[in-house]
């Protein structure tokens, strides 16, 4: 004989208890996840606040001209961040210009053309490169790559591309192996596995039916990659490139080993220079409280702003691509 509650269609006491427990679990889950999400914002606000507070004396003394001044005189307390900003941007651009095409080629080969028996070892090798500590890249760059680069590659570049008008000035000067170009190449080696791994993973999620349909109507492999795979995975590709750029902008030890750490700006890529990260690594531990210490924080603020601008541009570019895709469809 059924109970009265069951007969009337009312929930039993056990069902009410289970529903109550589920509501409590949902509330706790929502509260905990919201706390973790807000924690990220609090940490970000704390980082920005600490940078602004510590950089304020330098910004108050030198004004916005700090970011456009190329003087860095510790003795006379005259500081400008242009040299380090220039070195950071140039080395990162060189790294991206080299790493992105190579990463794209690696990802396409692994997903479209690589034999099955090679996919796993090659993929593992790319992932292992991403796990190598940055100081190992720096030691390799300083003791192995830079001597070879200065003895063989730089003279060859100077004898060929260096003879071209206007472009040639980028490959002028002494060929000692240490400099902006060497730092950019080491950075390219470091960010290549990150970008290649992300590109490979997003290329693999493209539905096979889309590629098979394109092959079925006579498309070449290049057309399938450029017209099917890339448009389908553009957000992931841009995200991988931004991940690599973020590491290139903030890389410290590897760049410090091979960039030369010279406080000057030269049009030649062979010349030594400095980046924001290398300047902080070299001087932060010995900086006295005052304008020198505050100027280093101002450089950190500049690096944060550069990263923010790069991410904002990436988001804007993705929105433009999504809008263009919507118009075409």
């Amino acid at each position: 004989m059924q109970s009265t509650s069951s007969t009337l269609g009312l929930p039993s006491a056990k069902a009410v208890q289970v529903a109550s427990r589920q509501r409590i679990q949902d509330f706790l889950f929502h509260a905990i996840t919201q706390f973790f999400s807000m924690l990220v914002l609090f940490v970000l606000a704390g980082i920005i606040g600490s940078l602004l507070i510590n950089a304020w004396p330098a910004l108050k003394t030198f004004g916005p001209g700090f970011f456009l001044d190329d003087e860095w005189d510790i003795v006379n307390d005259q500081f400008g961040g242009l040299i380090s900003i220039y070195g950071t941007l140039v080395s990162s651009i060189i790294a991206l210009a080299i790493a992105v095409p190579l990463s794209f080629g690696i990802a396409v080969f692994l997903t479209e053309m690589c034999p099955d028996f090679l996919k796993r070892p090659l993929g593992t090798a790319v992932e292992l490169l991403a796990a190598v500590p940055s100081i190992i890249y720096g030691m390799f760059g300083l003791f192995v790559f830079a001597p070879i680069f200065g003895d063989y590659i730089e003279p060859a570049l100077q004898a060929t591309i260096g003879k071209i008008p206007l472009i040639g000035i980028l490959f002028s000067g002494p060929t000692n192996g240490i400099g902006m170009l060497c730092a950019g190449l080491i950075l390219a080696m470091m960010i290549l596995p990150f970008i290649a791994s992300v590109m490979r993973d997003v290329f693999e999620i493209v539905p096979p039916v889309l590629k098979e349909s394109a092959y079925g109507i006579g498309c070449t492999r290049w057309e399938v990659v450029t017209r099917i795979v890339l448009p389908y995975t553009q957000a992931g590709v841009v995200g991988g490139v931004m991940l690599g750029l973020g590491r290139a902008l903030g890389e410290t030890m590897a760049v410090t080993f091979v960039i030369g750490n010279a406080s000057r700006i030269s049009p030649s890529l062979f010349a030594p220079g400095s980046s924001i990260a290398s300047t902080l690594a070299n001087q932060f531990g010995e900086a006295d409280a005052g304008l020198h210490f505050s100027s280093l924080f101002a450089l950190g603020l500049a690096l944060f702003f550069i990263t923010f601008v790069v991410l904002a541009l990436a988001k804007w570019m993705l929105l433009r691509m999504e809008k263009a895709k919507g118009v075409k469809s």
Side-chain angles (χ1 to χ4, degrees), residues 40-71:
V40 174
L41 294 179
F42 291 145
V43 171
L44 181 62
I47 292 173
I48 296 174
S50 63
L51 287 174
L52 284 171
I53 292 170
N54 288 283
W56 179 247
L59 298 177
K60 183 179 179 181
T61 301
F62 304 113
F66 171 85
F67 303 105
L68 302 175
D69 190 0
D70 62 352
E71 185 174 6

Side-chain angles (χ1 to χ4, degrees), residues 296-307:
L296 293 175
F297 270 96
L299 285 179
L301 184 64
L303 183 59
F304 183 90
F305 179 75
I306 292 171
T307 306

Side-chain angles (χ1 to χ4, degrees), residues 106 109-110 114-129 197 200:
I106 292 171
F109 178 76
L110 288 176
C114 184
D116 291 337
F117 71 92
L118 273 180
K119 278 188 178 181
R120 185 177 295 274
L122 285 180
T124 303
V126 171
E127 292 168 357
L128 285 175
L129 282 176
S197 295
R200 181 200 61 185

